[in-house]
Each structure stands twice: as C-alpha cells, then as structure tokens.
Amino acid sequence: MTTTPTEPPPVPSTGSRASSGTTNATSTRAPTAAPPEMKAPLAPLSRRRVDTILSRAVAGFGIVFGAQAIPAMLAQYGFAEPMWAMIAIPVVYASLVFSLLCALAKRFVVGAARVVAFIYIAALVTWPLFVADPAQVQSGDHWLYQLTTVATAAAAIGFRTRIATIYLVVVPLIYGVIRALPQGGTGPVELGFFNAVYAIILGAAVLVIVTMLRVAASNVDTAQQTALSRYSRAVRQHATEVERVQVDAIVHDSVLTTLLTAARAHGDREQALAGRMAADAMRHLADAALVTPDDGSTVRFRQLADRLGAAARGMPVAFSLRRRGVDARIIPAGTAESLYSAAMQAMVNSAQHAGGPGVRRWLHVTGMPEGLIEIVVGDAGAGFDLASVPEERLGVRRSIVERTASGGGTAEVASAPGRGTVVTLHWSGAVDEAADADRDESSDDTAGGTA
C-alpha cells in the first residue's frame, strides 16, 4: 500500500534566528506557470522632455516657414542691395538650420533659439538701410514677415517668459513701422498695423502653449520627486530596521559567543580558538558596516547633486561647485548614499588637512552618457604621500574607497606633497528616464560657509 506524501505545514516566522539543529523541509508543490511578460512602463513626461519636444517642434516649423518664404524672397531679391541680400539671406536660413540641428542633437538648444531671435532682429533692422531704390514701391509683405512667428517662437524657447513677451510685442511692431516707411515699400499704415497685430496674436498663442506646458511639466516633476522622496524614506527606514536585526543577530551569534568562549579559555588551544573567533566576529561586523542593504529604493541624480551642493555650501571653507549633465537619471538609494558619504569625507579631509581658506577647492558633479556618474573633489593644498599613510588611518581607505566600492562604484585618490589632492568617484549603471532630455545644462557657482 502506497501513501501520498503530504506537504509539511509552513513554519511561522518569529523574527529570531533558528538554531543550528533545525532542518528545512522541502516542498512537493508543483511549479506554477511564469507570469506573462509585461511591457516596461513609459518614462514620465518630465520638464526636460517637454523642453526637447517644444524645441524640436519650433525648429521644425521654422524650416517649414522658411521654405514657404523662399518664393517671396526670390521675387524681392532685386529690391535690396546685393551685398545685404548676399549676407542676410544665408545667415537667416543658416540660423534656422543650426537651430534644428541643435534640437535634434539635444545640445545648445537654448543658445540656438537665441541666435535665431537675434539674427532675425538684425536682419529686420538693417532691411530699410539697404534698399536698392526707396522710390520703387514694393507690393505685398516682405519675405521677413513670414518668419516673424518663427522668431517669436524661438524667443519663447530661448528666453524667460517676461523677455519673450517683450520680444513678442516689440518685433512685430518694428516690422509694422518699417513697412509704412518709404524704405519698407510705403505700405498703408493700416496694413502694417494689421500685420503686426496678427503676428502678435500668433506669437502669443505659441508663448502661452510653451509656458503652460513648461509649468505643468515642472509641477509633475515636483510632485513625482516629492512622492519618490517619501517612498525612499519609508523604504530606507524599513531597511534600517532589517539591518539592525541582522547586526543584532551577528552580535548575538558571534560576539557574545566569542566573549563566552574567551572567558572559559584556560589552555592554549582554547585561547587560540577564542582569538580566531574574535577575528571572525570583527570581520562580520566590518562587512555589516560596509554592505548597504538592497532595499529597492531609488533617488534621482538631481537629488544627489543637490545634497552634495548643500554639503559643499555648509563647509567651513569655500568650494567651487560645477554641475553638468545633472538630469533625472535613477540611482539606487544605497549607491547614492555611498557616493554622498565618500564625497563628504573627501571634502572634510580637504577642509581639515589641505590648508587654510585661501586654498582653491572644487566639487564637480557630472552626468555622462550611458549612465556614468562622476564626482570630483579636489584642492590645490598641501597634499600627502599615499604610500606613507598608516594602516590605522581609515579616512581614505575605509570612508572613501571602500565606501564607494560598497555602492558598486570606484574611487581614485591622486595626491602628492605640495600638489594638492584630487578624489574622483565613478559609478556606472544609472537609468536615465529622460533619454530624450537636453543635457546641456551647466552651472558654475561658489559654495562655501563661515567657520
């Protein structure tokens, strides 16, 4: 007679470590089918993604409007001085092409939009100064008028809302005034005024759309960052509690056992055993202090850069801060904490040992392609010889190198007596949620505090 094996009842978790004599029973439950593969969620619509979409749309429409103005430009070519036409026309169209290329390459987008706006004003203002025959009446609108909306849209991309609004009103009015002058073809005043108002209305619509989308995307970024911060804080608190339980278990199983063994060691063999157990316990404690629990929480690279900037500003000496490519890429919270702790220790070491406030110090935070992050803390101070650092000095080896390695990164320390110290931290593997974002943002400022 055969018996059907039954599944052992589940063992409730008590939160304490099982004794060494307990064995785990295996389950005969049949394997379940793998869950269906799910598509990765789309990246959220961030402010940088919105700026990229708007800049590409404006640059693309600029090329379209420029192509539509070519027939009028060819028909009016003889009304202007040949030298002005040979310079103004290629420069205007080159600025439109340059803006499109920058928008597609996600580099210098704001600067390219400003170039379009400034070149259009220069062409518009110099147009009446280089008319071949002011007495010859020019019928129809000038070819530059068809690019007025392109210029106002570029101003909306390249300038702040207040400056873009002034540009929106002033530039069409300049065209209306010039069109009524003899150099502009002696057009009717009503026609110039109507053209200016029409251009203002179109430009205002573009400016309103750009502003509303930017504000909405900024609000979404703020709300998402707040939610991620709260979630990460809750997960870190849970991970801290789990880590505390693990450390308690190490203390109970290793440290207390070692102490009891050492108290009862009377012979050489017992003392040698207690020594080995003490070494193992210290190694377990050191490993627990270095390993960051993988709790699954994440932070944004921008948050890490903000924390480092605030830390640099709180130092008793001044640090020159430079941020480049600081975007919305995702970093594990444990890795971010390791990088922050290592950079913080490097800044503290520089403040304490590099010299007085007159020593030049800097902090560079850079986001590179393919998810690479680089943090550089350097000074031009006293420096030191790495080979002569005693083993018991753990500031560089433990607080910088090993702490960075615990987060999956690498640390390089370059120093020489009288030549300063440079600490470079690298970490690769960030997930960039704004893959289409423009990464040409950079800022340079000086961060420092008072003693």
Side-chain angles (χ1 to χ4, degrees), residues 81-107:
E81 293 285 349
M83 184 61 66
W84 181 88
M86 292 173 58
I87 296 176
I89 294 174
V91 170
V92 169
Y93 278 89
S95 67
L96 298 179
V97 175
F98 177 67
S99 178
L100 178 62
L101 294 178
C102 290
L104 295 177
K106 297 173 289 186
R107 293 291 186 274

Side-chain angles (χ1 to χ4, degrees), residues 399-443:
S399 300
I400 297 179
V401 178
E402 294 185 6
R403 175 59 68 180
T404 305
S406 69
T410 58
E412 299 176 1
V413 182
S415 183
R419 298 185 178 181
T421 303
V422 177
V423 178
T424 305
L425 311 178
H426 287 107
W427 184 77
S428 179
V431 179
D432 191 355
E433 287 191 350
D436 297 330
D438 178 20
R439 297 183 178 176
D440 63 340
E441 177 190 5
S442 63
S443 61

